[in-house]
Short mmCIF file of all heavy atoms in Angstrom, two decimals:
data_model
loop_
_atom_site.label_atom_id
_atom_site.label_comp_id
_atom_site.label_asym_id
_atom_site.label_seq_id
_atom_site.Cartn_x
_atom_site.Cartn_y
_atom_site.Cartn_z
N ALA A 374 -15.44 26.52 12.10
CA ALA A 374 -16.39 25.52 12.60
C ALA A 374 -16.78 24.55 11.49
O ALA A 374 -17.10 24.97 10.37
CB ALA A 374 -17.63 26.23 13.15
N GLY A 375 -16.75 23.29 11.78
CA GLY A 375 -17.18 22.26 10.82
C GLY A 375 -16.12 21.88 9.81
O GLY A 375 -16.33 21.00 8.96
N PHE A 376 -14.94 22.51 9.90
CA PHE A 376 -13.89 22.30 8.90
C PHE A 376 -13.47 20.82 8.78
O PHE A 376 -13.26 20.30 7.68
CB PHE A 376 -12.68 23.17 9.29
CG PHE A 376 -11.51 23.06 8.36
CD1 PHE A 376 -11.58 23.56 7.06
CD2 PHE A 376 -10.31 22.49 8.77
CE1 PHE A 376 -10.48 23.48 6.21
CE2 PHE A 376 -9.22 22.40 7.92
CZ PHE A 376 -9.31 22.90 6.64
N ALA A 377 -13.37 20.15 9.93
CA ALA A 377 -12.90 18.75 9.91
C ALA A 377 -13.81 17.88 9.05
O ALA A 377 -13.36 16.91 8.43
CB ALA A 377 -12.83 18.20 11.34
N LYS A 378 -15.11 18.23 9.01
CA LYS A 378 -16.04 17.43 8.19
C LYS A 378 -15.72 17.58 6.71
O LYS A 378 -15.81 16.63 5.93
CB LYS A 378 -17.48 17.84 8.47
CG LYS A 378 -17.94 17.55 9.89
CD LYS A 378 -19.39 17.95 10.09
CE LYS A 378 -19.78 17.88 11.54
NZ LYS A 378 -19.11 18.89 12.40
N SER A 379 -15.33 18.79 6.31
CA SER A 379 -14.95 19.00 4.90
C SER A 379 -13.69 18.19 4.56
O SER A 379 -13.60 17.61 3.49
CB SER A 379 -14.67 20.49 4.64
OG SER A 379 -15.85 21.22 4.86
N VAL A 380 -12.76 18.18 5.49
CA VAL A 380 -11.53 17.40 5.26
C VAL A 380 -11.89 15.91 5.16
O VAL A 380 -11.37 15.19 4.30
CB VAL A 380 -10.52 17.64 6.40
CG1 VAL A 380 -9.30 16.72 6.25
CG2 VAL A 380 -10.09 19.10 6.43
N ALA A 381 -12.82 15.46 6.00
CA ALA A 381 -13.24 14.05 5.96
C ALA A 381 -13.84 13.72 4.60
O ALA A 381 -13.55 12.67 4.01
CB ALA A 381 -14.25 13.78 7.08
N MET A 382 -14.68 14.63 4.10
CA MET A 382 -15.30 14.39 2.79
C MET A 382 -14.23 14.30 1.69
O MET A 382 -14.33 13.47 0.78
CB MET A 382 -16.28 15.52 2.45
CG MET A 382 -17.49 15.57 3.35
SD MET A 382 -18.56 14.12 3.12
CE MET A 382 -19.95 14.56 4.16
N ARG A 383 -13.23 15.15 1.79
CA ARG A 383 -12.14 15.10 0.81
C ARG A 383 -11.40 13.76 0.91
O ARG A 383 -11.03 13.18 -0.11
CB ARG A 383 -11.18 16.28 1.05
CG ARG A 383 -9.94 16.28 0.19
CD ARG A 383 -10.22 16.69 -1.26
NE ARG A 383 -9.02 16.54 -2.07
CZ ARG A 383 -8.66 15.39 -2.68
NH1 ARG A 383 -9.44 14.33 -2.57
NH2 ARG A 383 -7.57 15.33 -3.41
N ALA A 384 -11.21 13.29 2.15
CA ALA A 384 -10.51 12.01 2.33
C ALA A 384 -11.28 10.88 1.64
O ALA A 384 -10.68 9.98 1.05
CB ALA A 384 -10.33 11.71 3.82
N LEU A 385 -12.61 10.94 1.71
CA LEU A 385 -13.42 9.90 1.07
C LEU A 385 -13.26 9.93 -0.44
O LEU A 385 -13.51 8.92 -1.12
CB LEU A 385 -14.90 10.09 1.41
CG LEU A 385 -15.29 10.05 2.88
CD1 LEU A 385 -16.80 10.08 3.03
CD2 LEU A 385 -14.72 8.81 3.56
N GLY A 386 -12.85 11.07 -0.98
CA GLY A 386 -12.69 11.19 -2.43
C GLY A 386 -11.27 10.91 -2.91
O GLY A 386 -11.00 11.02 -4.11
N THR A 387 -10.36 10.58 -2.02
CA THR A 387 -9.01 10.22 -2.48
C THR A 387 -9.08 8.84 -3.13
O THR A 387 -10.03 8.08 -2.88
CB THR A 387 -8.01 10.17 -1.30
OG1 THR A 387 -8.48 9.21 -0.34
CG2 THR A 387 -7.86 11.52 -0.64
N PRO A 388 -8.09 8.49 -3.97
CA PRO A 388 -8.17 7.19 -4.65
C PRO A 388 -8.36 6.02 -3.69
O PRO A 388 -9.18 5.14 -3.94
CB PRO A 388 -6.82 7.11 -5.38
CG PRO A 388 -6.45 8.53 -5.64
CD PRO A 388 -6.95 9.31 -4.45
#
Side-chain angles (χ1 to χ4, degrees):
Chain A
F376 180 68
K378 295 181 189 68
S379 297
V380 174
M382 293 293 186
R383 174 74 186 87
L385 301 187
T387 58

